[in-house]
Amino acid sequence: MCFLGGSWAAEHLVKMDAGGVELSFMDLLMCFLGGSWAAEHLVKMDAGGVELSFMDLLYVLPGWVLGSFLFSWFVTAFAIVASTVALLRWDTIHWPWSHFRCGCHTRLQPLWEPNSKAASSLRLHELRAREEALQLKFEKLMGEGEVDENEPWEQHAERLRRLTQGGFLELDSITCSDGMLDFFAGHRVMARQRTLHCSLGIRLTVHYNLFCGTLLALGSEEQGRWLRGAHKRGVLGCFMLTEVGAGVLSGLVVETTATWTWAGEEGKGYFDLHTPTPAAVKTWISQGLAADWGVVIAQLIVEGTNHGAHVFLLDMTSHGISRESMGAKTTFNALDNAHISFDHVKVPQDALLSKLCMVQPHFEDDAWRAEYTFSGSRPPSFLVIAQRLLSGRLCISDSAIAYLEGVLEATQRYTEERMVWVDKERKMPLASLPYMEKMLGTVRACVNVHKAFLLLLQQQFADVIESGSGEVPRALATSIAAAKVEAPECAIKSIGLLRRDVGAFGLMESSPFGSANDVLLCCRFAEGDSRVLQQMLVRDLIREHSRLGPALGLGWRVMKAWLAGAIHTSEKLSYLRDQQLLKLLWTLRRYAKQHPGKSKMQTETDAWLHAGDLVYDVAKIHAQQIIHSTVERHFGRSRDTELFWNMSATDCKLCHAY
């Protein structure tokens, strides 16, 4: 006590000892904490023959010391109980004081203020000018009149032909950075309520992005010249990738074959395009009936060697091609979706898109042989071949948010004009009621954050196209996948909330809540089903943390965030992602040990299926964390980013309902 208390403690200990006071441990502790006041009272009580109990000692202490003792006991007890519960539930410690916020986020500026970093970095004024110019051009080419999303597909296809021949978008819009921004803006125009054309928007991205974009990215100069002439003539194209057997694993499974076959003449050959099984039939091919030409993805087989999926230019009138309508849909029947199969279709040698690879016949050892060659150090990967799927995902995500923004604006106008009684004497706008005001603000924040994220990704993707490198960086592909997963889900969920709270207006034909909302379901499964992309995101995370070092680092990050109460800070999404990922790694490892399969691959697959919803928990939180952290890193904190992360945890708990 002398060591801890210094000279004053030593002095009072001497006094008490001189007075014949017998010192217990509690006496010493009280003297140390209570100072001279406590020591003097201890001497007096002991001299009077008073037996001191623990409560007597508490009475001796000053109020501030007693309060400190009680608080420290509470914190200790709470920490023991809370940490035990948190560990058992894989949860964070919810410290009581972490629920108190300074409210500083209410003083932050909105993300899209005219002079904000986002508005200046993304050149918002220029983007709006692009959209306005394209909207005027679109209205001039399409004319006035009601949009019929179920008109005959032959008639509807002519609308796209009118756009292509009228120069709504040039081919340069998919080959250079500045043009790509026009391309993305054109899709936003068709998603606006003022010029809403859902089926035509799908035709546009199929023709310009998937057909023309793939041909220009992977085709030779001669193939590019052919396309420019065909485009001026109003030729329409389609993109044939998805197969019946692949289902939602579109792109991961391709069974259609293109086999190099020698013709009768020496040194001449062709590709035999064939659908080997019913599962290999191309399905959900948009514009499949109206298309004059198409690009088809098939397994390239040369001299008995399978070189993987490659792209071929195909005349859709060729003998052996079978096209069949998929039948009536609930809506959007103006868009023709087809089953397409091939019965040993003879495809010329120059049909293989040959910018990055080709098949060359040559004479060797008294015989003609075909050799597969490629530029660079390796054959083109599927990510290169299907590069335009990424720009398609950006179009889809952007269109979903643009559509939601239009619905939000229409709902905002209605709720501001709709007066409701709040008592017998007063009316106020529906938009001013607290629950409606909060919901509109939450949806607006969601729109603003997604909009900033998508515009940033579009600029980055446009720069990749401008560079001509051919392969999109993995980080950008991951961010695009996150956008494709979350943007349609945000739109679907938000429109459901808006429709729920506007009452009978949600049933009116004049409201923005009609059958056109089903386009968001198209956004969800087109260009990569959301569930498949979620699994891709999680598998990448698993690979990153498969070794001991990264796994231990993950555990350390979770522990630090857990102790810090990260659930109540802007690091919430990172913490939740890491926490669920750690749980998933443990689940996969434990299941693999307890249920060994016939092979390592079978064991891993069974463990993955056993993990179930946990995979999608990780995927959803990871996607939202990518969106939030990217926007905040590039444009700083804002009122919208604060609202976005604050609502995301609740949103993540609902992911299984999606």
Side-chain angles (χ1 to χ4, degrees), residues 608-627:
W608 187 263
L609 294 174
H610 171 74
D613 287 341
L614 186 55
V615 172
Y616 300 109
D617 285 342
V618 175
K620 187 165 187 63
I621 303 171
H622 183 42
Q624 291 190 334
Q625 191 274 334
I626 289 174
I627 294 169

Side-chain angles (χ1 to χ4, degrees), residues 300 302 307 310 352 356-360 370-374 379-380:
L300 173 60
V302 181
H307 295 280
H310 283 68
L352 174 64
L356 302 177
C357 61
M358 63 181 64
V359 174
Q360 294 179 316
E371 182 183 6
Y372 172 74
T373 60
F374 51 87

Side-chain angles (χ1 to χ4, degrees), residues 104-120 122 124 128 440-441 444-452 631-632 635-644:
C104 55
H105 67 279
T106 60
R107 298 192 293 270
L108 294 171
Q109 294 298 314
L111 187 60
W112 289 109
E113 281 286 298
N115 297 322
S116 67
K117 188 175 181 180
S120 58
L122 297 173
L124 183 61
R128 286 176 175 169
L440 292 173
R444 174 62 64 186
C446 186
V447 168
N448 289 341
V449 172
H450 278 284
K451 185 176 177 180
V631 172
E632 197 164 87
F635 311 121
R637 290 178 63 204
S638 65
R639 190 181 306 167
D640 296 308
T641 56
E642 293 295 296
L643 283 172
F644 183 85

